[in-house]
Amino acid sequence: MDVKVKALSKTKQLTGLLDAQDQALVAAIQSGLPLCSRPYAEIGARIAMDEDEVIQRLQRMLQGKVIKRMGVVVKHHELGYRANAMVVWDIPDERVSKLGSSMGQFDFVTLCYQRPRRLPIWPYNLFCMIHGQDKGEVHHNIETLIERCKLDNVSHDVLFSKRRFKQRGARYHRLKPDGDTG
Amino acid sequence: MHGHNTDVLLDDPLKRRLLNDFQHGFPISPTPYKDIGEQLGISEVEVLSLLATLQDDGFISRIGAVFRANSVGASMLAAMAVPEDDLDRVAQIISAYDEVNHNYEREHHYNLWFVVTAEDDAHLQNVLLDMEKCTACPVLFLPMLHDYHIDLGFELKWT
């Protein structure tokens, strides 16, 4: 338990940046913008916030990097990217920051996180997600990473996805019962 | 979820641009769809109708904000090594939690991988412990320590 709590301690600092109004806005927008002429006004109407304020708060969250991006979230699989692999690496601690930053810049890498090792059962500390139209393309992309980031001596493992049991956007905040449940 | 025909997209440059060009930098302005229409040379109504079609056809998950992990709540990547003949049962239990947004089988000894999100650490802990209890499978907890990825969306190649 202690390990989990410690590993999560970062969360609180970041959540502290958002006031109650921001958190209500996150809850109202997390399932997506409605398709209508004034989507931000409609999001605001759900939480009694006017359009101007919705826009200002979202811009602030984008600048503060709480929002990584605003835009269309596509479904890779349905668009023909049938293969995805989580590639995990055992990188010496002193190199993880530099290598993580390099790997995170390749356009075929869609996630790149440092996570804790769980020795002895789990030695890997850097996780990338790589999508491709087929397994061959994913393997080719991994080869590219190894070559360009000089990872020949780094042990890694490739975990291709098989069945997708569930996939949807993250929901961080439960909406109040009188709010929109979408 | 198979059988999606991406050919319909190859024939329609507007759909392709809507999918590819607005994954980041989507307007945060009073009339974002009108603004996009101006860039594409079409009306707001046409933008809304094309996006609705793309959503109905299952190519778009949503239009909106992608939040940095752990910036607006707590999340955890978790894995389990489940005996092959028990995988369906355990996967079903995990998927049934409202807090789970991704749940995949992967080719590995650790064959079930899922992401749990909650509004705070306490709720997250409770869910994870409950999962261990309900499935009788130990969970490998892999919280994010650092995010190295600058998310600009995903460049789609149309072949």
Side-chain angles (χ1 to χ4, degrees), chain A residues 83-103:
Chain A
N84 92 72
M86 192 173 75
V87 187
V88 294
W89 313 82
D90 177 10
I91 311 254
D93 288 338
E94 65 277 11
R95 290 179 70 199
V96 73
S97 172
K98 193 157 181 277
L99 281 172
S101 304
S102 310
M103 285 191 203

Side-chain angles (χ1 to χ4, degrees), chain B residues 13-128:
Chain B
L14 284 172
K15 283 186 182 172
R16 295 196 322 239
R17 287 194 63 189
L18 281 170
L19 286 171
N20 202 53
D21 298 358
F22 301 95
Q23 292 185 32
H24 67 100
F26 183 92
I28 308 181
S29 67
T31 54
Y33 302 113
K34 184 165 171 274
D35 301 353
I36 287 173
E38 277 163 16
Q39 287 185 51
L40 297 178
I42 57 174
S43 71
E44 179 184 48
V45 172
E46 284 171 290
V47 171
L48 288 168
S49 145
L50 286 167
L51 287 172
T53 306
L54 288 169
Q55 210 149 30
D56 290 345
D57 290 345
F59 297 121
I60 290 179
S61 157
R62 69 180 193 283
I63 297 157
V66 175
F67 292 97
R68 179 166 296 278
N70 291 355
S71 65
V72 295
S75 66
M76 177 76 82
L77 175 68
M80 286 178 174
V82 185
E84 199 61 43
D85 58 1
D86 204 20
L87 186 58
D88 282 323
R89 182 189 71 89
V90 173
Q92 217 166 24
I93 294 174
I94 296 299
S95 290
Y97 284 87
D98 191 40
E99 291 84 355
V100 169
N101 58 312
H102 284 80
N103 187 20
Y104 277 82
E105 178 185 5
R106 294 194 177 275
E107 295 173 3
H108 194 267
H109 169 65
Y110 280 94
N111 53 356
L112 192 65
W113 290 80
F114 50 95
V115 177
V116 184
T117 61
E119 66 267 34
D120 56 36
D121 290 347
H123 186 152
L124 184 64
Q125 303 273 334
N126 287 340
V127 173
L128 292 165

Side-chain angles (χ1 to χ4, degrees), chain A residues 10 33 68 162-163 168, chain B residues 63 66 88 98 105 145:
Chain A
K10 222 173 172 177
L33 285 176
K68 290 179 84 171
K162 280 172 88 176
R163 277 179 291 171
R168 63 156 167 78
Chain B
I63 297 157
V66 175
D88 282 323
D98 191 40
E105 178 185 5
L145 298 179

Side-chain angles (χ1 to χ4, degrees), chain A:
Chain A
M1 283 299 289
D2 287 345
V3 174
K4 281 180 252 166
V5 175
K6 201 175 161 198
L8 284 165
S9 59
K10 222 173 172 177
T11 307
K12 285 216 171 55
Q13 300 164 18
L14 286 164
T15 310
L17 299 172
L18 304 181
D19 63 21
Q21 295 275 82
D22 285 330
Q23 290 182 34
L25 179 54
V26 169
I29 206 174
Q30 65 190 348
S31 58
L33 285 176
L35 290 172
C36 65
S37 188
R38 306 289 287 267
Y40 299 109
E42 189 169 317
I43 291 286
R46 297 174 189 171
I47 51 169
M49 186 183 287
D50 66 32
E51 187 186 44
D52 270 358
E53 193 172 350
V54 169
I55 287 173
Q56 279 175 28
R57 283 179 184 271
L58 288 175
Q59 278 167 346
R60 197 157 60 221
M61 283 191 241
L62 188 66
Q63 275 161 15
K65 300 203 167 75
V66 168
I67 293 177
K68 290 179 84 171
R69 66 180 166 101
M70 273 294 289
V72 175
V73 180
V74 300
K75 291 193 174 173
H76 297 106
H77 184 90
E78 283 70 8
L79 285 165
Y81 291 81
R82 296 294 158 94
N84 92 72
M86 192 173 75
V87 187
V88 294
W89 313 82
D90 177 10
I91 311 254
D93 288 338
E94 65 277 11
R95 290 179 70 199
V96 73
S97 172
K98 193 157 181 277
L99 281 172
S101 304
S102 310
M103 285 191 203
Q105 284 175 20
F106 285 82
D107 61 1
F108 53 76
V109 173
T110 55
L111 286 175
C112 187
Y113 291 154
Q114 183 189 5
R115 301 184 186 278
R117 294 185 181 85
R118 298 301 190 200
L119 298 172
I121 49 172
W122 188 261
Y124 305 107
N125 61 340
L126 192 67
F127 292 58
C128 305
M129 197 65 75
I130 297 180
H131 288 266
Q133 298 187 338
D134 51 42
K135 282 189 173 182
E137 188 181 341
V138 172
H139 280 302
H140 177 79
N141 290 339
I142 295 169
E143 291 305 312
T144 304
L145 270 186
I146 291 173
E147 195 187 308
R148 302 263 298 274
C149 298
K150 300 185 172 57
L151 299 165
D152 310 67
N153 299 319
V154 172
S155 82
H156 72 280
D157 206 344
V158 180
L159 289 80
F160 276 103
S161 68
K162 280 172 88 176
R163 277 179 291 171
R164 176 174 63 178
F165 295 114
K166 186 173 185 181
Q167 186 198 22
R168 63 156 167 78
R171 289 178 201 161
Y172 297 100
H173 291 277
R174 304 290 170 263
L175 289 172
K176 304 230 159 48
D178 59 325
D180 187 282
T181 52

